Amino acid sequence: MADPALHPETQPLKQIAVDYTPEACAHCTNSNTITLTFDHRGGARWRTTTRFLYGTFSARIQCPAGNTSGLNFNIYLSSLEGDKSQDEIDFEFLGKDRTIVQTNYYTTGTGNRESIHQLGFDCSDGFHEYVIKWGPNEIEWQIDGKVVRREEKRGGENFPEKPMFLYASVWDASYIDEGRWAGKYVGCDAPYVCIYKDIRVPTGTAVE
């Protein structure tokens, strides 16, 4: 039976915090749209103002176009960005190839659960819906209504259980694995703009 925690009510995201380069992040609450820009200033990262313990998180995303080699654009959950013992659940787009997306999850700072998915489209061509459904015993990643990955908690294994913020960012990932992961940054088509629309977060699972 599906975990009932995966299917709670959701609500539009009303308020965000910007962790760095606020001038590169535009938030329109009326249209429920957030725009991140990567250029000579670097990128930016936004997050929810509260953590959530389980629920459904979603956004329609149009990723940057042009030569995006080296860039990482994403939407993910994390108990605290930068914490070495974080829990985390990811959708990450790798700029060297906009026809794929990587999913991953972390428990107490340990990841290494990456999976690459063929999108069947270029993620910059238009808006597509990306959904993370997270419960105490199951995680689902969905794209345009289709489940692309499902993980169930197994006996004796750690599973994300810390309250988490919803985050999104655009950043230069050229240095990771000497550019083999996301490519080497070229920047010939800057500024790069990533647009998030119809962002939704759970109702009733926010943790102060």
Side-chain angles (χ1 to χ4, degrees), residues 43-182:
R45 182 175 68 221
W46 62 262
R47 62 172 172 83
T48 54
T49 56
T50 58
R51 292 180 175 93
F52 299 84
L53 184 60
Y54 308 129
T56 298
F57 305 79
S58 63
R60 295 173 61 222
I61 305 172
Q62 182 172 18
C63 296
N67 186 341
T68 52
S69 180
L71 295 180
N72 177 300
F73 14 100
N74 52 64
I75 190 163
Y76 63 103
L77 303 175
S78 177
S79 53
L80 184 63
E81 181 60 56
D83 181 5
K84 301 301 183 185
S85 62
Q86 88 279 13
D87 286 359
E88 186 172 315
I89 305 171
D90 302 334
F91 267 120
E92 293 185 280
F93 301 93
L94 309 178
K96 68 178 183 180
D97 185 351
R98 292 194 305 272
T99 67
I100 63 172
V101 68
Q102 177 180 286
T103 59
N104 196 7
Y105 70 97
Y106 289 72
T107 59
T108 59
T110 300
N112 301 317
R113 301 177 176 97
E114 298 90 345
S115 183
I116 296 290
H117 311 274
Q118 298 292 329
L119 291 170
F121 54 83
D122 182 322
C123 62
S124 71
D125 283 348
F127 286 94
H128 295 270
E129 185 184 47
Y130 302 87
V131 179
I132 296 171
K133 294 188 172 187
W134 167 44
N137 299 301
E138 187 176 340
I139 305 167
E140 281 185 2
W141 293 258
Q142 296 184 5
I143 302 173
D144 290 335
K146 179 182 177 182
V147 177
V148 297
R149 181 178 180 183
R150 179 184 290 112
E151 295 287 344
E152 295 182 359
K153 184 177 182 180
R154 296 174 178 86
E157 290 188 3
N158 290 331
F159 210 66
E161 61 181 11
K162 297 178 181 178
M164 294 197 272
F165 296 102
L166 178 66
Y167 282 93
S169 64
V170 182
W171 57 287
D172 182 357
S174 294
Y175 67 93
I176 295 182
D177 198 20
E178 299 179 339
R180 286 185 287 268
W181 186 50

